[in-house]
């Protein structure tokens, strides 16, 4: 009996030692897979820019349809579909936008409920299938990645504070990134909150038939520092790059990830890197495309 107890104790000790190591390996693997997703997004962005002479605008609009005075609006991710082996889904977007201006209606907008694995971090198991938002009554596929809109401007409308995804209706040209593509963030991680108030990858609309006019779901780009956001769900700033929680809806207003210690970012040159939260002081400078700041990318 004593020998059995000793063996059990040894096994328990070994499990206690091995479990953290296994968890660490899994976390590293999911972080690497997430970086791979961002590299694919970067390649798609560069191929798009090569064909269209600019990156896609932060939101893509279509002509009025369905007897309305407005047209469908989708996020910058949608026109990347042909470059991610999803050409039929982009063809559906074109046809659906001709039929129905509300891009969160599925059908005909199949993209609204189609999970694109390249747009979802593998570390966030919630995003492996479409999610139903009980408040809005909408089922949607969600994304882990948002475009970097720049930093909060000291002067409203000052182009110096613009990021890669700050322009509308035209997209940014790579030649417009005067700070250098290797020193400018293009896309970053921000998981949707458990409340599902943000994070659709497809639609960029906030329709009047949603939750009494409250904007739930559309998420295209974020600035990296916001002094306040009191007009959204009662959340108040400031918001800066740093850790967040899935159960805190207000953490949707800043970049963060489910990875420990930091988040993955795609740079405008197509490189993807893990940026630690300790680098938050220089992230605003990396977020602008023509700010003229002199910073070095952290290791």
């Amino acid at each position: 009996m004593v020998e059995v107890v000793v063996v059990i104790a040894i096994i328990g000790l070994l499990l206690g030692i091995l479990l953290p190591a296994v968890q660490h390996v899994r976390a590293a693997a999911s972080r690497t897979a997430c970086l791979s997703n961002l590299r694919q997004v970067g390649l798609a962005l560069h191929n798009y820019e090569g064909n269209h002479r600019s990156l896609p605008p932060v939101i893509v609009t279509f002509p009025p349809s369905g007897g309305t005075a407005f047209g469908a609006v989708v996020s910058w991710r949608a026109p990347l579909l042909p470059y991610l082996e999803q050409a039929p889904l982009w063809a559906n977007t074109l046809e659906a936008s001709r039929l129905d201006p509300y891009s969160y209606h599925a059908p005909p907008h199949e993209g609204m409920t189609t999970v694109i694995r390249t747009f979802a971090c593998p570390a966030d198991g919630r995003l492996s299938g479409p999610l139903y938002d009980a408040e809005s009554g909408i089922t949607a596929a969600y994304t882990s990645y948002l475009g970097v809109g720049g930093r909060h401007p000291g002067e409203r409308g000052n182009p110096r504070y613009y990021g890669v995804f700050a322009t509308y209706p035209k997209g940014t040209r790579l030649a417009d990134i005067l700070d250098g593509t290797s020193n400018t963030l293009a896309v970053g991680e921000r998981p949707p909150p458990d409340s599902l108030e943000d994070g659709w990858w497809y639609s960029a609309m906030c329709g009047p038939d949603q939750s009494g006019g409250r904007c739930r779901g559309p998420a295209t780009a974020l600035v990296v520092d916001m002094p306040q956001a009191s007009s959204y769900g009662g959340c108040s700033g400031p918001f800066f790059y740093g850790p967040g929680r899935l159960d805190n809806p207000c953490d949707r207003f800043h970049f963060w990830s489910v990875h420990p210690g930091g988040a993955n970012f795609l740079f405008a040159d197509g490189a993807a890197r893990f940026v630690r939260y300790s680098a938050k002081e220089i992230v605003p400078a990396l977020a602008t495309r023509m700010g003229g700041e002199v910073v070095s990318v952290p290791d």
Side-chain angles (χ1 to χ4, degrees):
M1 181 63 70
V2 173
E3 291 175 349
V4 172
V5 172
V6 171
V7 170
I8 292 174
I10 292 174
I11 293 175
L13 180 62
L14 290 174
L15 288 175
I17 295 173
L18 290 175
L19 187 57
V22 170
Q23 292 175 334
H24 179 75
V25 170
R26 286 181 176 177
S30 64
R31 194 177 82 180
T32 300
C34 188
L35 280 170
S36 179
N37 279 354
L38 284 172
R39 292 189 187 101
Q40 292 182 58
V41 171
L43 183 60
L45 285 170
H46 277 249
N47 285 335
Y48 181 97
E49 206 267 354
N51 288 331
H52 297 271
R53 299 184 179 180
S54 74
L55 299 174
V58 64
I59 59 174
V60 180
T61 60
F62 293 89
S65 61
T68 63
F70 57 90
V73 181
V74 297
S75 81
W76 57 268
R77 307 171 195 90
L80 298 184
L81 291 171
Y83 307 96
L84 295 170
E85 300 182 351
Q86 296 288 341
L89 189 56
W90 176 241
N92 169 265
T93 298
L94 298 176
E95 176 62 14
S97 298
R98 185 182 67 83
L99 298 173
D100 190 338
Y102 293 95
S103 55
Y104 48 81
H105 286 171
H109 289 271
E110 294 179 5
M112 191 62 188
T113 55
T114 301
V115 173
I116 304 298
R117 298 195 181 278
T118 306
F119 295 151
C121 175
D124 193 344
R126 302 173 306 156
L127 310 186
S128 60
L131 300 174
Y132 175 71
D133 176 11
E135 183 166 340
S136 68
I138 292 175
T139 298
Y142 285 74
T143 181
S144 308
Y145 312 123
L146 273 67
V148 177
R151 62 185 302 179
H152 194 277
E155 299 177 30
R156 199 169 187 84
N158 188 337
R160 180 185 174 193
Y161 297 94
Y162 288 175
V164 171
F165 285 100
T167 54
Y168 168 82
K170 295 183 178 180
T172 299
R173 299 179 306 161
L174 291 179
D176 295 331
I177 305 175
L178 303 183
D179 289 346
T181 56
S182 62
N183 294 315
T184 303
L185 301 174
V187 179
E189 284 194 84
R190 199 294 320 269
D194 285 337
S195 60
L196 303 182
E197 292 177 66
D198 224 346
W200 300 344
W201 78 259
Y202 180 76
S203 177
M205 298 188 77
C206 182
D209 57 344
Q210 294 183 59
S211 306
R214 286 185 60 190
C215 191
R216 297 180 64 84
T220 53
L222 274 179
V223 294
V224 298
D225 53 345
M226 294 204 310
Q228 63 182 9
S230 57
S231 60
Y232 288 87
C235 295
S236 59
F239 295 102
F240 299 100
Y241 178 54
R245 302 196 324 268
L246 296 175
D247 61 356
N248 180 11
C250 294
D251 280 330
R252 69 188 188 273
F253 294 112
H254 66 89
F255 288 99
W256 69 282
S257 81
V258 296
H259 310 295
N264 292 318
F265 283 87
L266 171 71
F267 285 76
D269 64 350
R273 301 183 62 173
F274 183 74
V275 179
R276 298 192 176 278
Y277 294 133
S278 57
K280 77 170 190 175
E281 298 299 329
I282 67 168
V283 166
L286 294 172
T288 61
R289 69 175 192 248
M290 60 177 88
E293 309 95 337
V294 179
V295 294
S296 59
V297 180
D299 295 325

